[in-house]
Amino acid sequence: MPPVLAAAAPSPILEIPPHTTPQLAHTLRHDSSVLTLVVGNDSIYAGTQNGEIVVWSLGDFQPIHRIQAHKRSIMCLFLSEDRSLLFSSASDPIVNVWCPATMNRLYEIYSTNDSFGDIFSVAYSSQYETVYYGAQNTSIQWVSLKDPDRRVSNDSASHPDRRNHRFFDSRAVGGASTPRPTDERYDLIPRPHAVLETNKRANKMFAHFGYVYCMLIATGATAYTNPEDDILISGGGDGTIKAWKLGGKEIGPDGYETGLEEIMVLGEDDANSVMSISVDGSFLYSGKLDGVIELWDLDTKQKLRVIKAHKGDVMSIQMGWGYLWSAARSGTASKHSTAHYGKYELEASQDVSQKYQCLTQWKAHDGKILSSAVTTYGGKELYISGANDNTVAVWLVPSQSFPEQPTPEQNEDMMIASLREFVSYKTVSSRVEYAEDCRRGASFLRSLFKKLGGDVEMLSADDELHHPVVLARFSGKAVPAGQRKKILFYGHYDVVPADPKKGKWENDPFQLTGLDGYLYGRGVSDNKGPIMAALYAVTDLMQAKSLDSDIVFVIEGQEESGSRGFKETIRKYKERIGHIDYILLANSYWLDDETPCLTYGLRGVMHATVCVESNNPDLHSGVDGSYMVNEPLSDLMMILAKLKGPKNHVMLPGFYDGILPLTKEEEARYDDILSVLMEQGKGRDRISAETLKANLMARWREPNLTHHKVKVSGPDGSLISNHASAKISVRLVPGQKVEEVTSSLTSFLEQEFENLDSNNKLSIEIDEQAEPWLGDPGNYIFRTMEDAVLKAWDPLFARRSSLHTPGPTADANGVSSDGGHTSGSCAKLGRPLYIREGGSIPAIRFLEKEFNAPAAHLPCGQASDSAHLNNERLRVLNLSKSREIFRYVFQKL
């Protein structure tokens, strides 16, 4: 099961221990206000102001459907008791019935009455197979889904879109009727399988003396009906609550059906509108204007309690886990204690006067909360709220079995809880001020590995300035150790800097934040998330008693700053690490956001600092400048200019000699990549396939030399600086030797400087070296990785075929009509893309050579993860799938 996330709890307005404010698990954003919510078995359904129904998965918070459901704002969603039918009503005079799984439009229901207004509420009785809807014109109308007499053709002349309206379409002599509004979105509304026309007699006019704001179906809620019978309960703008007996088909003296028979009225006709209702046994809670919640007994018709819960109108009420949950226009949500709540009855006092205490209240949204829902998913209790700030917030309810604030591990997936704490450490290895955080991050890893069953050591070379390498070993099942395969997983716990003060991060980069199906935080994609995925894949296998091989984690702390000290540390403790059969890492990203990839090649790198220095101090260019003075900056520019010729051609002798030729197999991989990129429109800017292919090859399999920055001594002004230095780098490809290129660069610069006949001094310092890496996509480890990717991402590859057969249609968001995400590329390829990268990972080729073992590289994230950039993120789905992939690979290898 994909993980349920949690984030730090918001600051509570009120909190009575031991009760604590729910943790914000995830925020789902939309481009319109969220007016109504329901939750199914594994999905969240939101009705929006722009007439859309948006569906998200509860497992990974990915969008599943986005349907233009109505022409105007959706006022209500209702899910049938068995969750097989989803009902929607709106500001247009239509009720729609949907299949919640496919979002196929099963029925369209309309009334033949004009001046009907908004349909604020809808409910469905499974007992009578009848839909009830309450409207702005104070009526409640109903229609049976199974009544064949109510079925009409899709183009019926009585349809609201086609019939003449007595007011809007009326016209005086010589006048014109009001043009009907049009919108291109209307054409996006799916065609219904069937159309039902409500009988004019199936209508309870003046059900309330005000708008019918809310309705629900209850069974056995009152002694005034049979225990097994459904009743309809409605709340109106007149301030009253009414209960209705259902099912009558006779024609009453008023000429209308007796399908609704009023059995009780609660409350005063005082215009204190009832905005929301919820039933708990025979108790009914109503949310009203000005923050008031009323408690009624449906057996005695007595008002038992009036609760001042919020400062704004109470728009939504839910019962969940023995508590009353309410949400208001003020943006606040509250949790109150209750009495007489089902299976919780024995745990709670029956003295009503001791209940209905506000246990916690918090600011849940920046706008007006208009809807909410409660559910239990994956063993986790979730409170879900929607508001006009265009968001749905998923709140993780803390378990009250703990007297203190529960730890994240008690309330969310352990992998996410661990990742949350891991991200909180500011392990920025390139800045000395974060040295302590780096050590604390390493200590956290050590404790976590040990807690999960690993044998852990902290390794360091003689130079204590380098951050420690965390070594953890998880042993396979009890066969002789010499017969067990040993798999080394390499990763790094350090990250690049992130400055939230500049306002470019939407959230604190060192506080994991769930938003729209993604986790945001520095290092979540590079490389803390993949480390957690690999670690918990091992724990999965250990718990299943399926870990046969030894898994050795080698996690360094300075990859982002050149892996300084890493080689020395590994060589020092090589015997302790022992023999290694395979090497795995996960430190990169897909080529796009849709297609799983495997990385089989990286460029190497050599960073150098070139400095020219004079024996003179800084001089004034006007007083001292002449042809007699060799200026360090001029000397530096002249020799650096010699390094490159036209079109970035590197002028080092023999620089291109060792580059490996392009094989047919590799060219076929580029063709696979091109088929994906061109199909996705990457070539829409008139870039030909040939140009795109050349661009990829230039970045992945061709070397390059780059001048980065120049630094001079002295303040700004008309100076001749006494020294000037420049940073340069050389990206290397397989076939080039980093030592040979370093030697060639040094010799070339020294010779060019000698040709200047300058009395200045040249120095060249090599800052970093990393060899290029080229894996073998045909070897066992890559074949195993490919099988794992195919298995984990099976829905993407399910339609794989040598012929590209058409799949489901997709909307503008890439969400297909069958609920999945379209991926024509995967359907065409039938396997992950094999890619190379232009970047460098210093450790990978070094580890291959040191342990004489092949390496493979799994990109976990998507191209849009923004690693090293602001708002770094990792999709929840990718994290959980990476865990699946590692679990498979660790087991098979």
Side-chain angles (χ1 to χ4, degrees):
M1 182 192 73
V4 175
L5 315 179
S11 298
I13 299 172
L14 173 68
E15 197 170 74
I16 297 178
H19 299 274
T20 54
T21 300
Q23 298 169 304
L24 180 59
H26 213 90
T27 302
L28 302 168
R29 295 180 295 188
H30 188 56
D31 51 16
S32 181
S33 296
V34 178
L35 305 186
T36 178
L37 283 172
V38 292
V39 61
N41 294 326
D42 54 10
S43 301
I44 301 169
Y45 301 83
T48 69
Q49 187 174 9
N50 63 7
E52 291 182 327
I53 297 177
V54 186
V55 188
W56 291 279
S57 165
L58 270 173
D60 53 30
F61 304 110
Q62 292 298 299
I64 303 173
H65 300 281
R66 182 172 178 173
I67 303 293
Q68 187 68 45
H70 290 266
K71 293 182 178 180
R72 299 184 181 93
S73 302
I74 296 179
M75 308 302 292
C76 182
L77 293 176
F78 184 93
L79 202 58
S80 63
E81 186 178 9
D82 63 1
R83 301 188 174 184
S84 65
L85 296 174
L86 175 68
F87 301 83
S88 64
S89 66
S91 298
D92 56 18
I94 299 294
V95 173
N96 287 320
V97 187
W98 309 84
C99 171
T102 64
M103 290 306 293
N104 288 330
R105 191 182 182 201
L106 305 178
Y107 298 95
E108 179 185 50
I109 301 169
Y110 65 84
S111 170
T112 56
N113 293 325
D114 286 335
S115 303
F116 194 66
D118 299 351
I119 303 178
F120 287 107
S121 52
V122 63
Y124 175 72
S125 168
S126 300
Q127 180 181 2
Y128 298 103
E129 298 183 307
T130 298
V131 183
Y132 300 86
Y133 51 101
Q136 189 174 1
N137 72 343
T138 77
S139 72
I140 298 176
Q141 300 188 46
W142 60 93
V143 64
S144 171
L145 295 183
K146 303 302 180 182
D147 186 351
D149 294 337
R150 304 322 316 151
R151 295 208 173 196
V152 296
S153 65
N154 286 60
D155 55 357
S156 169
S158 299
H159 192 281
D161 288 346
R162 285 176 286 277
R163 70 173 183 251
N164 285 331
H165 193 282
R166 288 182 300 171
F167 176 77
F168 293 107
D169 293 320
S170 63
R171 57 185 178 182
V173 176
S177 60
T178 304
R180 293 180 181 243
T182 59
D183 191 312
E184 60 183 11
R185 293 178 303 163
Y186 297 172
D187 296 331
L188 300 177
I189 300 174
R191 184 178 177 85
H193 291 278
V195 179
L196 303 179
E197 184 177 285
T198 304
N199 191 328
K200 286 181 177 291
R201 298 178 183 271
N203 181 8
K204 189 70 174 180
M205 282 302 299
F206 310 112
H208 289 266
F209 293 109
Y211 302 164
V212 184
Y213 280 122
C214 50
M215 297 194 306
L216 58 78
I217 298 290
T219 304
T222 175
Y224 291 88
T225 60
N226 295 325
E228 67 276 6
D229 285 347
D230 286 351
I231 63 170
L232 177 70
I233 303 175
S234 59
D238 56 359
T240 65
I241 301 163
K242 295 188 178 183
W244 308 85
K245 183 180 178 180
L246 309 178
K249 295 185 179 297
E250 297 79 14
I251 303 299
D254 57 359
Y256 290 94
E257 286 186 7
T258 57
L260 283 184
E261 179 184 345
E262 183 183 297
I263 56 178
M264 74 174 68
V265 180
L266 306 175
E268 302 292 334
D269 186 1
D270 57 5
N272 188 6
S273 300
V274 178
M275 308 305 298
S276 54
I277 52 177
S278 182
V279 167
D280 168 30
S282 65
F283 282 12
L284 182 140
Y285 301 88
S286 64
K288 305 188 76 174
L289 303 182
D290 300 322
V292 171
I293 298 175
E294 293 180 346
L295 168 61
W296 295 86
D297 188 333
L298 293 174
D299 284 336
T300 65
K301 303 183 184 180
Q302 291 178 311
K303 185 192 295 185
L304 303 180
R305 192 83 167 190
V306 176
I307 307 164
K308 178 64 175 177
H310 297 271
K311 293 182 178 179
D313 304 341
V314 181
M315 301 303 295
S316 184
I317 288 181
Q318 303 293 335
M319 291 300 305
W321 318 291
Y323 299 98
L324 172 66
W325 302 84
S326 59
R329 284 182 178 269
S330 57
T332 56
S334 295
K335 167 187 167 184
H336 284 74
S337 58
T338 65
H340 301 285
Y341 179 55
K343 68 179 181 179
Y344 297 94
E345 182 173 351
L346 297 177
E347 303 172 18
S349 168
Q350 298 307 301
D351 184 355
V352 174
S353 66
Q354 300 299 316
K355 288 298 175 181
Y356 307 103
Q357 179 184 21
C358 184
L359 303 175
T360 182
Q361 185 176 91
W362 72 101
K363 182 72 172 177
H365 288 266
D366 291 330
K368 301 173 182 177
I369 303 179
L370 303 174
S371 54
S372 66
V374 294
T375 190
T376 298
Y377 180 78
K380 313 301 178 184
E381 297 170 354
L382 302 176
Y383 177 69
I384 304 169
S385 56
N388 70 347
D389 59 2
N390 300 358
T391 67
V392 173
V394 183
W395 304 91
L396 185 61
V397 178
S399 171
Q400 295 308 317
S401 60
F402 301 97
E404 304 297 334
Q405 169 68 41
T407 62
E409 288 88 343
Q410 293 163 340
N411 286 291
E412 62 175 337
D413 182 276
M414 282 188 64
M415 177 175 68
I416 302 298
S418 301
L419 179 58
R420 179 178 315 288
E421 185 171 355
F422 199 9
V423 168
S424 71
Y425 294 100
K426 301 176 182 179
T427 52
V428 181
S429 61
S430 61
R431 294 185 180 177
V432 67
E433 62 265 31
Y434 293 111
E436 182 66 23
D437 287 87
C438 290
R439 296 302 176 104
R440 289 182 180 274
S443 297
F444 161 76
L445 271 186
R446 177 192 62 191
S447 300
L448 181 62
F449 281 134
K450 188 174 182 180
K451 174 183 176 181
L452 296 178
D455 296 321
V456 191
E457 293 182 71
M458 304 282 271
L459 310 181
S460 61
D462 295 333
D463 186 349
E464 295 183 357
L465 294 177
H466 296 141
H467 303 312
V469 174
V470 182
L471 172 67
R473 178 180 285 102
F474 293 83
S475 298
K477 290 191 294 187
V479 297
Q483 297 181 16
R484 295 198 297 262
K485 296 292 184 181
K486 293 180 174 59
I487 305 165
L488 186 151
F489 180 87
Y490 164 82
H492 63 91
Y493 60 83
D494 64 320
V495 299
V496 297
D499 188 358
K501 295 181 180 179
K502 294 182 178 180
K504 295 182 179 179
W505 279 82
E506 295 184 5
N507 303 284
D508 184 343
F510 296 103
Q511 179 178 319
L512 194 69
T513 303
L515 185 64
D516 296 333
Y518 287 85
L519 299 173
Y520 287 81
R522 174 57 82 220
V524 67
S525 184
D526 181 15
N527 185 233
K528 294 181 177 181
I531 292 172
M532 292 296 102
L535 170 59
Y536 281 92
V538 172
T539 65
D540 291 342
L541 292 174
M542 292 176 67
Q543 291 174 7
K545 299 181 180 180
S546 300
L547 183 63
D548 296 323
S549 302
D550 290 352
I551 311 299
V552 179
F553 284 85
V554 174
I555 313 298
E556 69 156 309
Q558 296 196 228
E559 192 274 345
E560 300 291 7
S561 53
S563 292
R564 294 190 302 273
F566 179 72
K567 292 181 180 180
E568 294 79 2
T569 302
I570 295 300
R571 285 170 177 153
K572 180 179 179 180
Y573 294 99
K574 182 178 177 180
E575 290 187 8
R576 192 171 301 180
I577 296 171
H579 172 75
I580 296 297
D581 294 286
Y582 302 105
I583 299 167
L584 291 177
L585 70 158
N587 198 17
S588 63
Y589 322 94
W590 295 353
L591 194 59
D592 58 15
D593 279 1
E594 299 177 14
T595 317
C597 301
L598 290 173
T599 301
Y600 72 96
L602 296 165
R603 292 199 291 191
V605 69
M606 184 270 291
H607 287 280
T609 302
V610 182
C611 181
V612 177
E613 189 171 7
S614 169
N615 289 326
N616 300 320
D618 293 337
L619 302 175
H620 191 284
S621 61
V623 176
D624 301 302
S626 73
Y627 76 94
M628 300 288 292
V629 178
N630 297 118
E631 299 178 3
L633 181 57
S634 297
D635 288 352
L636 179 65
M637 294 297 99
M638 292 177 70
I639 64 172
L640 291 181
K642 297 288 186 178
L643 288 172
K644 300 177 76 171
K647 296 186 177 180
N648 277 330
H649 186 79
V650 180
M651 303 303 292
L652 298 180
F655 183 71
Y656 297 95
D657 291 350
I659 298 175
L660 300 178
L662 180 68
T663 65
K664 292 182 179 179
E665 293 80 7
E666 185 180 1
E667 187 160 19
R669 295 180 198 118
Y670 281 103
D671 291 338
D672 286 343
I673 293 168
L674 286 178
S675 68
V676 172
L677 297 185
M678 299 304 291
E679 181 178 332
Q680 292 175 353
K682 293 292 194 293
R684 65 170 59 95
D685 297 326
R686 298 182 179 179
I687 299 176
S688 66
E690 292 75 14
T691 301
L692 189 56
K693 183 176 182 178
N695 183 284
L696 291 175
M697 288 186 176
R699 287 188 284 136
W700 292 355
R701 68 177 331 275
E702 296 293 335
N704 190 50
L705 186 149
T706 301
H707 299 124
H708 294 292
K709 60 181 179 180
V710 174
K711 183 179 180 181
V712 296
S713 62
D716 292 341
S718 302
L719 293 179
I720 300 173
S721 300
N722 85 313
H723 75 263
S725 62
K727 296 285 188 181
I728 64 172
S729 70
V730 182
R731 295 288 173 173
L732 309 172
V733 297
Q736 293 180 304
K737 304 294 184 183
V738 65
E739 295 84 1
E740 294 178 1
V741 173
T742 301
S743 176
S744 176
L745 174 73
T746 303
S747 299
F748 182 86
L749 290 175
E750 288 175 345
Q751 182 59 55
E752 292 298 329
F753 185 75
E754 185 178 338
N755 294 341
L756 296 178
D757 195 23
S758 172
N759 56 6
N760 293 324
K761 296 179 182 178
L762 170 71
S763 62
I764 303 169
E765 182 177 347
I766 305 303
D767 303 314
E768 178 188 347
Q769 290 178 310
E771 290 192 55
W773 169 69
L774 187 65
D776 179 7
N779 66 14
Y780 179 63
I781 187 172
F782 268 105
R783 294 200 309 272
T784 305
M785 292 272 273
E786 179 177 314
D787 291 343
V789 171
L790 289 173
K791 186 174 184 294
W793 291 100
D794 180 65
L796 292 179
F797 295 102
R799 298 185 297 275
R800 57 185 180 270
S801 171
S802 58
L803 296 176
H804 189 185
T805 56
T809 58
D811 65 14
N813 297 287
V815 181
S816 68
S817 60
D818 67 354
H821 292 262
T822 61
S823 183
S825 58
C826 290
K828 190 171 184 178
L829 289 171
R831 68 170 192 166
L833 291 176
Y834 280 84
I835 64 173
R836 292 169 66 167
E837 291 193 13
S840 307
I841 299 177
I844 184 168
R845 180 56 183 151
F846 163 75
L847 290 172
E848 268 196 337
K849 292 173 67 175
E850 198 69 23
F851 292 101
N852 192 28
H857 192 175
L858 173 71
C860 290
Q862 300 168 286
S864 62
D865 277 357
S866 298
H868 288 209
L869 304 176
N870 298 316
N871 300 306
E872 180 179 347
R873 70 181 191 176
L874 179 63
R875 189 167 60 162
V876 178
L877 181 62
N878 281 57
L879 181 64
S880 61
K881 291 296 186 184
S882 297
R883 180 175 178 173
E884 290 181 35
I885 293 168
F886 284 127
R887 184 165 62 234
Y888 181 94
V889 171
F890 289 151
Q891 185 177 28
K892 292 298 181 181
L893 290 181

